[in-house]
Amino acid sequence: MLEARLEQAQLLKKVVEAIKDLVQDCNFDCNDSGIALQAMDNSHVALVSMTLKAEGFSPYRCDRNIVLGVNLTSLMKVLRAAQNEDILTLKAEDAPDSLNLVFESSSNDRISEYDLKLMDIDQEHLGIPETEYASTIAMPSAEFRRICNDLNAVSESVTIEASKEGVKFSCNGDIGNGSVTLRQHTDVEKPDTNIEIELTEPVSLTFSLKYLTNFCKASGLSTQVKICLSNEVPLLVEYNLSGSSFLRFYLAPKIGDEE
Amino acid sequence: MLEARLEQAQLLKKVVEAIKDLVQDCNFDCNDSGIALQAMDNSHVALVSMTLKAEGFSPYRCDRNIVLGVNLTSLMKVLRAAQNEDILTLKAEDAPDSLNLVFESSSNDRISEYDLKLMDIDQEHLGIPETEYASTIAMPSAEFRRICNDLNAVSESVTIEASKEGVKFSCNGDIGNGSVTLRQHTDVEKPDTNIEIELTEPVSLTFSLKYLTNFCKASGLSTQVKICLSNEVPLLVEYNLSGSSFLRFYLAPKIGDEE
DNA sequence: GTGGCTATGT
DNA sequence: ACATAGCCAC
């Protein structure tokens, strides 16, 4: 059986909020190392990969592999019942037909309990190759969100160019064009505001802003975001959660005339 | 004639806001003790009972009984003209065909005046029996609203069970089920947050969440709400206003297969 | 001044 | 159902 106690119910709430527009139904794969989720969006352009490590829970217990097939819209309805400081415990049997969620108020005078019906979801196995990226950009997640939202007002897609001078987000649209250029910036006093650019080779790729703005719903989960690029390879947008848990989004670049 | 001056126009505004979705037209019965309203909703499942005592007005004057037949949608349109700190004076003749509403800004530099046409409404007399309830729960009105809204995401009806352990709100729906359990809680420092459960006998009753969430629109009128239950008797949801004025909602329980 | 919550409109 | 804007609390 699974029993996983999460001090911050809102962590799961934010994760589901960030991915429910991309994926309707998906499997949460639980084993002794934690809870993981991989799913493609309906149009098979984007891929979501989340891992919540066992260490992020206290306690965490999962004797054997359990697959929880969840409708994320229904899960979201339940998670909305979590108040800000609630502690969430997830429980499921070994061959579950429902997932049990218990919210305890920190003051302990309120307990809410929900059973969410599960479903069988065909698991298309998603091999996500480990990739050495040509460029990796770390920046404040709020800044990335701002850039995507701003450029989204001008165009449907953005070209991201990383070079040793910095990183440039640019787009062309009917009403005109726009670009934002960032250069490296480190402040030991405020590491959250750092912009770090690693580069082995210049890259220039174009992506759909609709997806990127969607990914940016996860900004609340982490002050920093990592953007990994290689030519002709899907972009990786990574939010690191506490204790080596993470939420990653992959997005195939647009090619040629699509741009 | 009636002349009633209400320091807080928004009191009446909130009351009408809370009941206008249940009742379209109703009589305001005015006499020397105050202004009262009783009405059933269209489907005759819920009943609203409001009393604004004369003491809540200053001054208050009503020589003889006056019945004001009001369309609440029209009244609401007029009350929306009230600003936050406005003082409201209600005036009517003895056999009125209109209700006069005057809004004065507290700084006294603006006066708005409206005359609302009245209508004849057949008064079905509603005898509301005094009941000794098997259980009475007092709790923060915001918390009750939160519970009703959360459970409303899962199901159309809620079962309220009061026992000596506490009170449990539970529901069953297509996507799963949910419950919220509260236990007694008193804090002399913050009496607004108290949860008090009186019980002479355990009760378990099921109600439509559509109506309950509707009642909860009155939450802004009082920090606390009182929920009174007896088996097979309509639920009473009571919001106490200043000076023994009150707004009460009654709701017949669902029985048997309806649940 | 900031953040959370509620209510409302699309 | 989502996003926004106003309100209230911290």
Side-chain angles (χ1 to χ4, degrees):
Chain A
M1 69 170 289
L2 167 75
E3 184 164 342
R5 184 168 172 278
L6 191 60
E7 292 280 349
Q8 299 217 5
Q10 51 162 281
L11 174 74
L12 188 63
K13 192 172 172 178
K14 285 182 184 169
V15 167
V16 175
E17 200 130 42
I19 64 180
K20 71 168 199 313
D21 289 338
L22 290 167
V23 180
Q24 282 65 57
D25 305 307
C26 70
N27 286 327
F28 286 75
D29 296 306
C30 311
N31 58 40
D32 58 0
S33 69
I35 300 174
L37 171 165
Q38 272 95 38
M40 297 211 71
D41 86 296
N42 292 332
S43 54
H44 282 233
V45 175
L47 189 152
V48 183
S49 171
M50 177 208 74
T51 294
L52 301 176
K53 300 280 190 192
E55 308 89 84
F57 300 89
S58 62
Y60 181 86
R61 179 181 153 208
C62 184
D63 314 316
R64 53 188 92 180
N65 289 8
I66 300 177
V67 176
L68 307 171
V70 172
N71 174 279
L72 291 180
T73 305
S74 302
L75 177 58
M76 198 59 223
K77 282 181 181 170
V78 171
L79 290 173
R80 276 193 228 281
Q83 304 207 229
N84 243 1
E85 301 307 315
D86 278 3
I87 296 161
L88 167 61
T89 303
L90 303 169
K91 289 185 206 160
E93 300 299 324
D94 277 343
D97 55 12
S98 71
L99 169 65
N100 178 252
L101 299 99
V102 176
F103 303 100
E104 301 164 65
S105 67
S106 39
S107 53
N108 220 354
D109 49 13
R110 178 177 43 75
I111 291 188
S112 315
E113 180 169 358
Y114 295 85
D115 290 301
L116 189 68
K117 283 184 195 157
L118 298 178
M119 52 203 294
D120 282 320
I121 299 168
D122 278 344
Q123 181 88 346
E124 38 175 341
H125 186 72
L126 306 166
I128 301 171
E130 281 289 318
T131 310
E132 281 298 316
Y133 287 96
S135 179
T136 296
I137 299 140
M139 69 163 91
S141 55
E143 183 146 14
F144 182 54
R145 177 178 50 191
R146 184 57 137 76
I147 291 168
C148 291
N149 289 150
D150 289 351
L151 297 184
N152 194 34
V154 176
S155 173
E156 291 181 350
S157 43
V158 59
T159 299
I160 308 179
E161 289 174 79
S163 66
K164 61 184 192 305
E165 284 79 36
V167 56
K168 180 173 178 183
F169 303 82
S170 56
C171 67
N172 272 283
D174 295 339
I175 66 166
N177 56 60
S179 77
V180 179
T181 306
L182 304 177
R183 32 169 221 146
Q184 182 108 2
H185 161 94
T186 52
D187 181 341
V188 286
E189 301 288 309
K190 302 179 191 167
D192 285 353
T193 69
N194 284 0
I195 299 171
E196 294 174 84
I197 302 169
E198 288 171 29
L199 189 84
T200 59
E201 169 182 21
V203 289
S204 175
L205 289 159
T206 300
F207 301 97
S208 155
L209 278 163
K210 170 165 152 277
Y211 284 96
L212 292 181
T213 53
N214 225 319
F215 300 167
C216 286
K217 289 185 182 166
S219 298
L221 286 163
S222 172
T223 57
Q224 286 261 315
V225 63
K226 207 151 46 166
I227 299 164
C228 307
L229 302 145
S230 284
N231 285 318
E232 287 159 47
V233 162
L235 162 83
L236 164 58
V237 178
E238 174 177 305
Y239 297 88
N240 280 115
L241 315 180
S242 59
S244 76
S245 296
F246 59 78
L247 176 57
R248 294 182 184 146
F249 299 95
Y250 296 85
L251 179 62
K254 292 190 170 191
I255 42 176
D257 295 342
E258 288 186 81
E259 298 188 10
Chain B
M1 67 170 290
L2 167 74
E3 185 163 342
R5 184 169 172 279
L6 190 61
E7 292 280 348
Q8 298 216 6
Q10 52 161 285
L11 175 74
L12 187 63
K13 193 172 173 179
K14 285 182 185 171
V15 167
V16 176
E17 199 126 46
I19 65 181
K20 73 170 197 316
D21 289 338
L22 290 168
V23 180
Q24 281 66 57
D25 305 308
C26 69
N27 286 328
F28 285 75
D29 298 307
C30 310
N31 59 40
D32 58 2
S33 68
I35 301 175
L37 169 166
Q38 271 94 35
M40 298 210 73
D41 85 296
N42 292 332
S43 56
H44 282 232
V45 175
L47 189 153
V48 184
S49 171
M50 178 210 72
T51 294
L52 299 177
K53 300 280 191 193
E55 308 89 86
F57 300 90
S58 59
Y60 182 86
R61 179 179 153 211
C62 185
D63 314 318
R64 53 188 91 181
N65 289 8
I66 301 178
V67 176
L68 308 172
V70 171
N71 174 280
L72 291 182
T73 305
S74 303
L75 177 57
M76 197 60 224
K77 284 180 182 168
V78 171
L79 290 173
R80 278 193 225 278
Q83 306 209 227
N84 253 355
E85 299 308 312
D86 277 5
I87 295 159
L88 167 60
T89 303
L90 302 168
K91 288 184 204 160
E93 300 300 326
D94 277 344
D97 55 12
S98 70
L99 169 65
N100 178 253
L101 300 98
V102 176
F103 303 101
E104 301 164 64
S105 65
S106 42
S107 53
N108 221 351
D109 49 13
R110 178 177 42 76
I111 290 187
S112 320
E113 181 169 358
Y114 297 84
D115 289 300
L116 189 68
K117 281 184 194 154
L118 298 177
M119 52 204 293
D120 282 321
I121 299 169
D122 279 344
Q123 182 88 346
E124 39 175 339
H125 187 70
L126 307 167
I128 301 172
E130 280 289 318
T131 310
E132 280 299 315
Y133 287 96
S135 181
T136 296
I137 298 141
M139 69 164 96
S141 55
E143 184 146 14
F144 182 55
R145 178 179 49 193
R146 182 58 132 82
I147 291 168
C148 292
N149 287 339
D150 287 349
L151 296 184
N152 195 34
V154 175
S155 173
E156 290 182 350
S157 42
V158 61
T159 299
I160 308 179
E161 288 173 80
S163 67
K164 60 183 191 308
E165 283 80 35
V167 55
K168 180 172 177 182
F169 303 80
S170 57
C171 67
N172 271 283
D174 293 339
I175 66 164
N177 57 61
S179 75
V180 180
T181 306
L182 304 177
R183 37 172 216 145
Q184 183 110 1
H185 163 96
T186 51
D187 182 341
V188 287
E189 301 288 308
K190 301 178 190 166
D192 285 354
T193 69
N194 284 358
I195 298 171
E196 294 174 82
I197 302 169
E198 288 171 29
L199 189 84
T200 58
E201 169 182 20
V203 288
S204 175
L205 289 160
T206 301
F207 301 97
S208 154
L209 278 163
K210 173 166 149 276
Y211 284 97
L212 292 182
T213 53
N214 224 318
F215 300 167
C216 286
K217 289 185 184 166
S219 299
L221 287 162
S222 172
T223 57
Q224 285 261 318
V225 63
K226 207 152 43 169
I227 299 164
C228 307
L229 303 145
S230 284
N231 286 316
E232 288 158 46
V233 162
L235 161 83
L236 164 57
V237 178
E238 175 177 305
Y239 296 88
N240 280 116
L241 314 180
S242 59
S244 75
S245 295
F246 60 80
L247 176 57
R248 293 180 186 149
F249 299 95
Y250 296 85
L251 179 61
K254 290 189 171 193
I255 41 177
D257 294 341
E258 286 186 83
E259 297 187 10

